[in-house]
Amino acid sequence: MDVEPDWLVWAREIQAIAQTGLTFTENPYDRERYEALRALSARIFAARTNALTERIETLFEGETGYATPKIDVRAAVFDESDRLLMVREVADQHRWTLPGGWADVNLTTAENAIKEVVEESGYRVRVTKLAALWDRTRQGHPNGVFSCAKVFFLCDLLDGKATTSLETSEVGWFAQGCVPNDLSVGRVTSMQISRMFDHRRNPELATDFE
């Protein structure tokens, strides 16, 4: 498992401290200090990536409230032949992933997973199990700016037909030995997919978390 570089961990923490501080402070001098910390974090990110400082600053300015991890939901949908539903992600050069995305407000995480499957694949599903709750930084994904909790649900197929969307260019079903190699690893890894097959074969497995 890859370990995030120290600069990324520190810069992310500085950004979170600044965001939370700006949420609660009423002191104008403290506000200036927190804004300076936020700008410092943006400069660190920009110096270590190809992004412009102004773009990072704009991204951070849009984050308000107490800083918490973002939530990404993923649906592991299986059919009666134990094949896994996957979609090609347009935003990542049409690489394969499990249906999913950022969780929307006013929906439970399970409801978000169901919604994402319908929108990205055309199929209606029923959630049967919370299979995993993982911290993205511990899972070997590419480095991200913000902390993220990844929530994986096991789902049964109800009905529908394969339908692509603005976000997806192909829909497919795969047995475990036939899962594509060109994965959108920012969204899902081969280990995670393998673990979803484990949960499918053994429904009594406890929810994975780390």
Side-chain angles (χ1 to χ4, degrees), residues 86-105:
M86 300 187 72
V87 296
R88 285 192 186 270
E89 184 72 38
V90 172
D92 190 16
Q93 300 181 358
H94 303 272
R95 294 186 173 95
W96 290 97
T97 183
L98 299 181
W102 295 124
D104 290 331
V105 300

Side-chain angles (χ1 to χ4, degrees), residues 52-69:
L52 297 174
T53 301
E54 293 78 8
R55 181 179 178 184
I56 299 296
E57 288 178 338
T58 300
L59 179 66
F60 288 171
E61 288 170 4
E63 296 293 319
T64 58
Y66 190 92
T68 63

Side-chain angles (χ1 to χ4, degrees), residues 37-58:
L37 280 176
R38 186 173 64 189
L40 172 61
S41 178
R43 291 201 303 273
I44 294 172
F45 274 104
R48 294 285 184 163
T49 66
N50 293 324
L52 297 174
T53 301
E54 293 78 8
R55 181 179 178 184
I56 299 296
E57 288 178 338
T58 300

Side-chain angles (χ1 to χ4, degrees), residues 12-38 60 63-68:
R12 186 187 292 136
E13 185 168 353
I14 292 171
Q15 185 277 329
I17 291 170
Q19 178 181 325
T20 301
L22 287 167
T23 298
F24 294 107
T25 187
E26 297 180 359
N27 186 308
Y29 299 107
D30 285 342
R31 175 165 292 277
E32 289 181 1
R33 296 183 184 100
Y34 287 127
E35 288 174 345
L37 280 176
R38 186 173 64 189
F60 288 171
E63 296 293 319
T64 58
Y66 190 92
T68 63

Side-chain angles (χ1 to χ4, degrees), residues 195-207:
R195 192 58 178 162
M196 293 305 104
F197 278 99
D198 291 341
H199 280 278
R200 173 67 172 181
R201 286 191 297 268
N202 184 3
E204 301 305 314
L205 280 177
T207 299

